């Protein structure tokens, strides 16, 4: 980069004779900045420029220092989100952030370009972080699968008795206490549905509706209304499924 100021011919001069179009070079070398992995650092070199805005002079007596500090902060903020194992992506993201003129304070504009490097030690640290995170994720997934399976067993009245007898054959007399303690335990599917209020309300309404439809006439009337509604909404596949269900024999007879 040239050490001479960059000038723009059409820029108006500042009051007092200062030229607002003059852009002065700056450089930051030997910086070490954090990555997304603890202890793994980027080697950073920043080149850039600062200039006064046409309307006012910088409020700080050392605008170059403000400019360098601004570029450091912007660069560090971006690099904390990237891995040292992927230098091109980190460099592109940083240059996108600082590659246009920005205004860190009144009367001052700054731009810059970043060049990144890394060391074998930093790459090894990042790889170790990734390996440990993958191992933790696998352990978490295995534990979640085990707990979900256990919940499914305990939520089923018959299976939890078998599970208890297999686990504690000498404590069969405590089955009744187990039944009482787990009578409200939902199955894993029900637990997911509970997270969605709308699904929970629909499930409760549907269960109550099916409980109340004792007579075949009530069932036929409901299904007829359902088919007509789905047809009006344009759901042909659901309409066909409801019509097929409607043709099945009634599961129960009308109560006396």
């Amino acid at each position: 980069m040239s050490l001479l100021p960059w000038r723009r011919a059409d820029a108006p001069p500042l009051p007092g004779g200062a030229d607002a179009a003059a852009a002065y070079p700056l450089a930051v070398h030997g910086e070490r900045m954090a990555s997304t992995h603890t202890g793994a650092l980027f080697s950073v070199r920043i080149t850039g420029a600062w200039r006064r805005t046409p309307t006012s002079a910088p409020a700080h007596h050392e605008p170059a220092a403000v400019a360098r500090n601004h570029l450091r902060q912007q660069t560090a903020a971006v690099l904390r989100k990237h891995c040292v194992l992927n230098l091109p992506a980190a460099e592109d993201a940083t240059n996108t952030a600082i590659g246009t003129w920005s205004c860190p304070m009144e009367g001052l504009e700054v731009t810059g370009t970043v060049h990144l490097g890394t060391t074998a030690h930093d790459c090894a640290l990042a790889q170790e972080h990734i390996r440990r995170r993958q191992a933790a994720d696998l352990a978490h997934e295995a534990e979640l699968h085990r707990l979900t399976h256990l919940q499914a067993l305990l939520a089923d009245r018959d299976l939890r008795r078998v599970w208890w007898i297999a686990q504690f054959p000498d404590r069969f007399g405590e089955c009744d206490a187990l039944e009482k303690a787990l009578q409200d335990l939902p199955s894993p599917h029900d637990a997911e549905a509970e997270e969605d209020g709308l699904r929970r309300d629909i499930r409760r309404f549907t269960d109550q509706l099916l409980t109340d439809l004792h007579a075949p006439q009530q069932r036929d009337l409901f299904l007829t209304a359902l088919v007509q509604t789905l047809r009006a909404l344009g759901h042909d596949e659901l309409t066909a499924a409801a019509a097929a269900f409607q043709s099945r024999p009634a599961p129960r007879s009308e109560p006396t």
Side-chain angles (χ1 to χ4, degrees):
M1 179 179 293
S2 171
L3 296 179
L4 295 176
W6 304 340
R7 296 183 177 272
R8 193 175 59 212
D10 58 348
L14 283 175
D19 189 352
Y24 301 94
L26 59 81
V28 178
H29 299 287
E31 295 285 325
R32 297 272 288 163
M33 296 185 180
S35 71
T36 189
H37 304 295
T38 303
L41 305 178
F42 288 100
S43 301
V44 182
R45 178 166 58 92
I46 306 173
T47 57
W50 64 272
R51 69 186 181 190
R52 297 179 176 88
T53 59
T55 56
S56 59
H60 198 277
H61 70 279
E62 190 63 42
V66 176
R68 288 192 297 268
N69 186 60
H70 177 67
L71 291 179
R72 285 191 188 98
Q73 291 180 349
Q74 284 190 303
T75 300
V78 175
L79 293 182
R80 280 195 294 267
K81 303 175 183 178
H82 289 80
C83 176
V84 296
L85 299 177
N86 196 352
L87 287 181
E91 200 166 80
D92 288 345
T94 310
N95 284 324
T96 300
I98 71 172
T100 57
W101 289 99
S102 58
C103 184
M105 61 180 294
E106 183 180 358
L108 177 66
E109 291 183 329
V110 183
T111 187
T113 302
V114 168
H115 305 276
L116 300 178
T118 188
T119 65
H121 175 70
D122 291 315
C123 290
L125 279 177
Q127 290 171 340
E128 179 64 16
H129 274 283
I130 292 173
R131 187 193 66 77
R132 291 185 180 184
R133 183 177 299 172
Q134 289 174 338
D137 289 343
L138 289 174
H140 174 74
E141 183 178 350
E143 179 66 9
L144 182 61
H145 177 75
R146 186 187 71 82
L147 292 176
T148 301
H149 178 65
L150 179 60
Q151 183 182 358
L153 288 175
L154 297 179
D156 187 292
R157 181 175 181 179
D158 296 327
L159 288 178
R160 66 185 173 215
R161 281 182 173 273
V162 175
W163 175 84
W164 181 264
I165 293 171
Q167 294 289 322
F168 310 104
D170 56 335
R171 297 167 59 184
F172 180 77
E174 300 178 24
C175 280
D176 291 339
L178 179 69
E179 291 284 341
K180 184 177 180 180
L182 298 178
Q183 61 183 353
D184 296 327
L185 180 68
S187 67
H189 177 75
D190 292 337
E192 293 176 3
E194 286 298 322
E195 297 177 0
D196 188 330
L198 179 60
R199 289 179 179 271
R200 182 179 64 249
D201 294 341
I202 292 176
R203 183 183 296 275
R204 184 184 297 113
F205 172 77
T206 304
D207 290 343
Q208 185 62 43
L209 180 63
L210 295 177
T211 300
D212 292 340
L213 295 178
H214 297 294
Q217 293 86 350
Q218 292 176 311
R219 172 178 171 273
D220 291 342
L221 181 62
F222 168 73
L223 290 176
T224 300
L226 177 61
V227 169
Q228 292 175 348
T229 302
L230 293 174
R231 183 177 292 114
L233 293 174
H235 293 278
D236 296 333
E237 293 182 1
L238 294 177
T239 302
F245 184 79
Q246 187 179 17
S247 63
R248 297 177 186 175
R252 13 178 164 178
S253 59
E254 183 175 1
T256 56

